[in-house]
Amino acid sequence: MNIRRLLVANRGEIAVRIISTCRKLGVETVLASSSADRDSPAAKLADRTVVIGPPQATRSYLDHRLVVHAAAATGCDALHPGYGFLSERPDVVRACDEAGIVFVGPRAETIESLGDKLRSRELADAAGAPRIKGSEALTSVFDAQRFAMDVGFPVLLKAASGGGGRGMAVCMSVEEVASAYPRLVTEAKEAFGDGTLFLEAFVETARHVEVQVIGDGAGRAWSLGLRDCSVQRRYQKMIEEAPATLLDDAACEQLAASAVALLASVRYRGVGTVEFLWDPARQTASFMEVNTRIQVEHPVTEAVTGLDLVELQLEVASGDDVAARLHERSSSGVGHAIEFRINAEDATRDFRPSPGRITAWVPPAGAWIRLDSAVEKGSLVTPYYDSMIAKLIVSGVDRADAVRRSIEALSSFRVEGVATNLPLLRAIAGDPEFGANAFHTRWLESDFLPGFAA
């Protein structure tokens, strides 16, 4: 490991997560923080904190010139972007390269090629990944309607440069395509700087499965297993699991092999996630996209493999050979793990964010529980950022055991001062369909939430 001082260009629980691994490895950390986070748990844990700007993310966490300057000014030889913010910005990688700072993640050209959904589909095709029927880049609303009729309704209209559930709409008719198209073009331009759209056939009862891959940057890549992330609201994941138990061994091996082939073909450097839609009725999968960063849900993979994915990121960024170590360090995992995202929001009031000061924070504890937290008693949850304040990861010998332990852990989790989604998570964990693994990506919104709200 030749990284001696690392700039953490993020906040919240992922900043704490990165700093914790660095402390274990003896790597110094500098936290690039907004003024709103200067007293956060991450700031207390880091060796040094540099305030780079005001609370507004556009003037702090999203200003890559400020962030890279902070890394150079504090003598950092590497920068870890976490997820969100600057993590998938090729201009950040280039700025780091120019400053002689190692970017902990893929090369700029890799992020560009895989971040463009149309280009990534071409690469996935070349690597033999399964793919659903869809269009190329759309040029007009009439073009979109023509392709939609050819593909067959329902269709999913998507931004080519989109991500995080933004720039997407399910359309059931040509009239809905005509209505959604101009709105999504505008949304995609504002969010991603690119209004290009395409469409795909929409699988109404799909599962969202993904393969965690690590590449050494020299053309070798390895699968670290599959996850199931099908409990979602508005395309935002709420609960994630590993492994993806709904798929049989042959299907898991096929998806893992195609994901590895895809990332190896672009000489991928670091950890990345290849996402698929799984159609349980047809027992078929379809490539969706690649996330060129560490994922929010990475702890469930760590739980079932015994690996530290942040440590692996740092080793690859340092040029270390991780091939021999992957097998050696993958023997201490568990059978199944489930992650619940704890958000400061009120699910009974249309998930309205709930900023404020936390007056009581009593999470569950146990050998089979992990808590990745961004807060503590007395912490102020500000209105400036994403509402996620913690992740509860529960492990078990198998899925049934993990579900049972999850119900127990969620029932004892107490938070006061702000509203959270804990009541909703408790209800989901105790629902028979969740326990039976009988849900899909639209289950939460179409089947569960109407009854929960009532």
Side-chain angles (χ1 to χ4, degrees):
M1 177 79 65
N2 57 25
I3 296 174
R4 62 180 184 84
R5 184 177 297 156
L6 177 82
L7 186 94
V8 181
N10 217 297
R11 64 177 302 277
E13 54 80 27
I14 188 60
V16 171
R17 169 74 188 83
I18 296 165
I19 295 167
S20 297
T21 288
C22 287
R23 289 171 69 95
K24 178 180 71 174
L25 299 174
V27 176
E28 292 182 42
T29 53
V30 178
L31 179 70
S33 168
S34 77
S35 59
D37 291 328
R38 70 170 80 229
D39 297 318
S40 67
K44 296 173 183 176
L45 191 62
D47 294 299
R48 180 179 177 185
T49 298
V50 177
V51 176
I52 57 172
Q56 293 82 2
T58 54
R59 298 171 60 193
S60 53
Y61 295 112
L62 286 170
D63 190 329
H64 76 277
R65 293 166 299 181
L66 286 175
V67 172
V68 175
H69 174 74
T74 55
C76 291
D77 41 31
L79 181 153
H80 196 307
Y83 52 70
F85 291 141
L86 303 177
S87 61
E88 295 179 287
R89 292 257 302 269
D91 55 342
V92 179
V93 186
R94 293 193 175 98
C96 285
D97 291 344
E98 291 172 3
I101 294 169
V102 174
F103 180 82
V104 182
R107 301 176 182 88
E109 58 269 24
T110 307
I111 295 175
E112 285 178 330
S113 61
L114 294 177
D116 183 319
K117 289 183 171 54
L118 292 171
R119 175 61 179 146
S120 68
R121 287 199 311 170
E122 295 173 0
L123 293 168
D125 287 345
R131 183 162 68 82
I132 204 165
K133 188 176 182 181
S135 75
E136 301 306 317
L138 300 169
T139 58
S140 68
V141 65
F142 304 108
D143 195 31
Q145 290 175 313
R146 177 173 61 84
F147 270 110
M149 288 187 289
D150 178 59
V151 170
F153 291 99
V155 297
L156 184 63
L157 199 58
K158 304 171 68 173
S161 299
R166 303 188 64 182
M168 302 168 65
V170 177
C171 300
M172 309 299 291
S173 66
V174 290
E175 291 79 16
E176 290 189 14
V177 171
S179 173
Y181 186 89
R183 173 175 56 82
L184 290 182
V185 168
T186 300
E187 181 179 324
K189 285 181 178 178
E190 292 177 349
F192 313 113
D194 178 8
T196 305
L197 304 182
F198 69 102
L199 60 80
E200 294 177 330
F202 180 69
V203 182
E204 294 192 70
T205 57
R207 296 290 281 255
H208 181 134
V209 298
E210 54 191 37
V211 184
Q212 178 70 71
V213 180
I214 182 167
D216 66 358
R220 294 186 300 173
W222 300 268
S223 167
L224 303 182
L226 275 67
R227 298 186 288 253
D228 189 321
C229 310
S230 301
V231 179
Q232 304 177 5
R233 174 180 173 268
R234 297 180 178 176
Y235 305 107
Q236 293 289 325
K237 301 165 188 173
M238 188 175 295
I239 299 173
E240 300 102 341
E241 308 183 32
T245 55
L246 195 70
L247 281 66
D248 62 25
D249 290 345
C252 290
E253 290 172 6
Q254 178 201 12
L255 295 189
S258 62
V260 165
L262 169 57
L263 295 197
S265 71
V266 295
R267 297 173 61 243
Y268 192 90
R269 184 179 70 192
V271 299
T273 300
V274 184
E275 304 198 346
F276 298 87
L277 275 182
W278 174 255
D279 186 340
R282 297 178 178 84
Q283 293 287 290
T284 57
S286 175
F287 169 79
M288 286 197 298
E289 63 184 7
V290 179
N291 284 294
T292 56
R293 51 174 168 75
I294 197 160
Q295 294 276 85
V296 176
E297 57 270 24
H298 77 273
V300 292
T301 295
E302 293 185 326
V304 299
T305 62
L307 297 168
D308 182 331
L309 297 192
V310 174
E311 182 177 353
L312 288 173
Q313 284 187 295
L314 297 175
E315 289 178 343
V316 169
S318 293
D320 297 349
D321 185 1
V322 299
R325 304 185 189 183
L326 286 172
H327 176 70
E328 295 172 7
R329 294 182 297 174
S330 61
S331 59
S332 58
V334 298
H336 199 90
I338 308 176
E339 175 180 288
F340 300 85
R341 301 191 187 192
I342 314 300
N343 299 332
E345 59 188 21
D346 190 341
T348 65
R349 304 180 69 184
D350 196 29
F351 295 85
R352 180 182 299 178
S354 178
R357 192 168 300 279
I358 294 177
T359 57
W361 179 257
V362 187
W368 36 270
I369 286 174
R370 166 178 166 178
L371 186 73
D372 284 16
S373 175
V375 300
E376 57 195 3
K377 182 180 178 181
S379 291
L380 182 65
V381 179
T382 71
Y384 303 109
Y385 314 112
D386 182 87
S387 62
M388 189 175 71
I389 55 176
K391 301 183 307 197
L392 174 67
I393 302 96
V394 183
S395 300
V397 295
D398 55 24
R399 186 177 189 276
D401 188 43
V403 170
R404 178 184 61 80
R405 288 174 169 179
S406 295
I407 294 170
E408 180 181 332
L410 289 164
S411 67
S412 65
F413 204 141
R414 184 167 66 90
V415 182
E416 296 177 6
V418 298
T420 72
N421 64 336
L422 279 168
L424 173 62
L425 296 175
R426 292 181 188 119
I428 295 171
D431 185 87
E433 290 187 326
F434 179 78
N437 207 10
F439 50 86
H440 50 82
T441 55
R442 302 188 75 194
W443 171 79
L444 185 66
E445 290 179 283
S446 63
D447 298 0
F448 187 87
L449 283 177
F452 178 78

